[in-house]
Each structure stands twice: as C-alpha cells, then as structure tokens.
Amino acid sequence: MVDHELATANGYSVTARYYDDVYTEQTAPVDQPFYLHYAEQAPGAVLELGCGTGRVTLPLARAGHRITALDLATDMLAIFKRKLAQEPADVQERVSVVRGDMAEFELAERFGLVISPFRAFQHLLEPEQQRRCLERVARHLQPEGRFVFNAFQPNLRYIVKAQELAGTFKQVNQATLDDENRILRRYVQLTPHPGLQRHQILWKYEICDRFGKVVETQLEEMWLRWFYRWEAEYLLELSGLAIVEAYGGFDKRPLDENAAELIYICRRKES
Ligand SMILES: C[S@@+](CC[C@H](N)C(=O)[O-])C[C@H]1O[C@@H](n2cnc3c(N)ncnc32)[C@H](O)[C@@H]1O
C-alpha cells in the first residue's frame, strides 16, 4: 500500500486523476444545460473560471460557442488538454486553455458570458481574493454580458452534523476504472470551521483490485469557503456587479432557505 503525502491545499493533483471517474452524470450537478442556456443568450464569447477537466467547457464548445477556459491546477488542465485533443478540429479551434488564477487574471478579450461552475469560486478562501476575482469579472464583461456562477448554500443543520462526525471518513463514490480491473472508492472527511466559514475537506482515494483488495491509498486536502446569501449579494454589489436573477437550483427553483445552491446571474453595474 502506498500512502502519499498530502498535496498542497487545493492543488487538485490527486483529485485530477479521478475527477472524471467520480463526477459522472449521476454525481455531478446537472448544470450543463443551465450554462448552455446562458451561452446561447450571450452577446459574445465565453470565459470559464475554474474549468477543471472541461466538464462544462466541452459541451459548450461542441454546441458552437467560443470559450476561454482558465484554471490554476496544472494537473486538471493536463487532463483537459488530452480530452480536447480528441475532439474534432472545429471544437478544438473554439477553445483556448489558459493557466491562471481567477483572482488575478487579465485577458485582452471582453466576454459575453463569464461562468464559474461547480462551486469553483468557493476555492477563494480570503474575502480580498473573492473581491479581486469579481472585480476582474466585471472588467472582462462586455456591456450586455452576464456572469453566472454557483456555490452551495450553507445549511447549519448539515454543518453541525458534519462537526459531530469530524475525523471520520464517509464513502461517497465507487467507480470502475478504465481498465475494468480496478475499482475506485472515494471517501470524504469533512471538518467545518464555522468561525472561518470554511470546510476542510480530506479526500481519500482507495484503489482496489478486482477481488476488492486495497492496493493503493491516496489522500488530498482541499478547502472551501462558504458564504451566506446576503454576504454574497453585498460582495457582488461592492465588486461592480448587479444581480439580475438568483436561483436555488439549476431547475430555477426559488432561492429560499431550503435551496441547496446559490446561483447568481449578474451584469456589470452602470458606472
Ligand atoms: C470543483 S472543480 C470544478 C471544475 C469544473 N468547473 C467543473 O464544473 O467540473 C474546481 C476547479 O477550480 C479550480 N480552481 C481552484 N482555485 C482556483 C483559482 N484560484 N483560479 C483558477 N482556478 C481555480 C480547481 O483547480 C478546479 O479545477
């Protein structure tokens, strides 16, 4: 058994290897049609912040949208580039892959739509980083452009329960790996830090042979920052964005206290 050292926070180096195995249609949010809808309405090209392995990027590019896909994690981008190389030439031509920090980026183009799917924005742990990111989003939008992103809505009952269970691993996925001879089991250990509004997440990936014997174990730590609805709305407004729609799920359910997601559609505020 090989126990790897913890990767640096939010490095995605271990998770990258298994990301497309664990986030399938059954386990990832059904968000592609939602983001596609806004791409279809957009007056210009798309910028995606935290594109990962291209889970949302590729369907948008296949549907004919030009998209700049930005991410900080080289391991996620390496997998994305491998997948992109297998796409038809016209899809490849529509995608530009950029390694960068969503809190610091500066691109020459102005976009009709900026998106940040699957809670990528929650990897920005400091309010100052969040603010810088949103100011850059506002600056990179065309006048009629939109910014669409989602985060989870913090649920205090869930956070209290997670605190009681802190220190224990819970299995969240099982998948058969490509060669059919190996099984992947993924576990999570969640430690909420309510004073910091952060989750410390420890993923454990167990690779088993076809008899179910664990042959390799890998760990990776990640942190996510949570924010409440009104905090998010102040932050958006302070950063030069105006909210035009808000939803609690990708089916456009209302953003009420039972909603699992915080989904915002914003435009640049008039200066
Ligand atoms: C949960 S994944 C989402 C990936 C993709 N958007 C999806 O929907 O499958 C979060 C992504 O955000 C990226 N990320 C985290 N911090 C970032 C930062 N500061 N700048 C750019 N990307 C970042 C991670 O590398 C990771 O690929």
Side-chain angles (χ1 to χ4, degrees):
M1 186 190 286
V2 184
D3 265 318
H4 288 255
E5 276 184 36
L6 286 185
T8 50
N10 295 332
Y12 272 89
S13 53
V14 176
T15 298
R17 272 175 244 167
Y18 307 115
Y19 192 86
D20 290 340
D21 295 302
V22 293
Y23 292 118
T24 59
E25 270 177 32
Q26 284 76 41
T27 52
V30 191
D31 53 1
Q32 288 107 328
F34 188 88
Y35 284 105
L36 191 55
H37 166 77
Y38 287 95
E40 271 153 18
Q41 316 253 309
V46 183
L47 168 64
E48 182 180 357
L49 303 177
C51 62
T53 63
R55 193 184 61 84
V56 174
T57 330
L58 286 175
L60 265 58
R62 287 183 197 127
H65 301 286
R66 241 179 8 92
I67 180 159
T68 298
L70 178 144
D71 202 287
L72 193 55
T74 44
D75 298 295
M76 294 292 268
L77 289 178
I79 290 167
F80 180 28
K81 285 180 190 164
R82 274 210 296 278
K83 285 161 60 178
L84 186 58
Q86 287 161 13
E87 292 287 325
D90 61 319
V91 175
Q92 292 189 39
E93 274 160 25
R94 285 196 282 275
V95 181
S96 308
V97 182
V98 178
R99 176 159 190 260
D101 183 345
M102 69 171 96
E104 303 291 345
F105 66 97
E106 185 59 66
L107 302 167
E109 193 171 348
R110 295 298 173 255
F111 296 88
L113 177 70
V114 180
I115 60 173
S116 192
F118 207 179
R119 305 166 176 179
F121 181 74
Q122 291 184 274
H123 282 305
L124 300 181
L125 301 179
E126 301 295 338
E128 194 43 44
Q129 286 177 305
Q130 298 175 323
R131 176 99 180 250
R132 279 207 304 276
C133 172
L134 295 175
E135 284 169 356
R136 273 157 184 73
V137 167
R139 203 176 328 144
H140 283 78
L141 279 177
Q142 294 174 6
E144 295 305 316
R146 293 286 183 263
F147 173 47
V148 184
F149 75 107
N150 70 291
F152 67 79
Q153 168 153 259
N155 175 329
L156 291 177
R157 277 188 296 275
Y158 177 79
I159 290 167
V160 167
K161 198 158 171 227
Q163 263 195 317
E164 287 164 7
L165 295 173
T168 58
F169 278 105
K170 176 179 161 219
Q171 186 174 344
V172 283
N173 300 87
Q174 174 153 319
T176 306
L177 295 178
D178 280 350
D179 56 16
E180 302 271 316
N181 274 326
R182 294 178 308 150
I183 294 162
L184 168 70
R185 291 197 202 119
R186 186 168 72 139
Y187 301 81
V188 68
Q189 180 183 301
L190 192 68
T191 309
H193 294 261
L196 297 172
Q197 293 182 205
R198 289 180 192 171
H199 281 319
Q200 181 181 14
I201 301 168
L202 188 58
W203 297 112
K204 181 163 82 169
Y205 297 90
E206 272 183 2
I207 311 299
C208 307
D209 65 15
R210 64 200 161 97
F211 306 108
K213 183 167 166 270
V214 179
V215 291
E216 194 176 346
T217 302
Q218 292 170 304
L219 294 169
E220 186 155 68
E221 187 185 68
M222 270 183 202
W223 288 79
L224 284 181
R225 167 77 149 75
W226 77 73
F227 36 82
Y228 296 89
R229 174 182 186 172
W230 308 116
E231 180 188 356
E233 297 187 5
Y234 278 133
L235 187 65
L236 289 164
E237 197 186 326
L238 280 171
S239 311
L241 293 160
I243 298 165
V244 287
E245 294 163 67
Y247 300 109
F250 293 105
D251 55 2
K252 296 199 169 181
R253 71 184 60 193
L255 178 42
D256 59 23
E257 64 176 332
N258 298 315
E261 297 290 326
L262 293 174
I263 304 177
Y264 290 107
I265 291 85
C266 309
R267 61 168 171 75
R268 245 167 56 178
K269 243 178 12 193
E270 310 294 338
S271 43

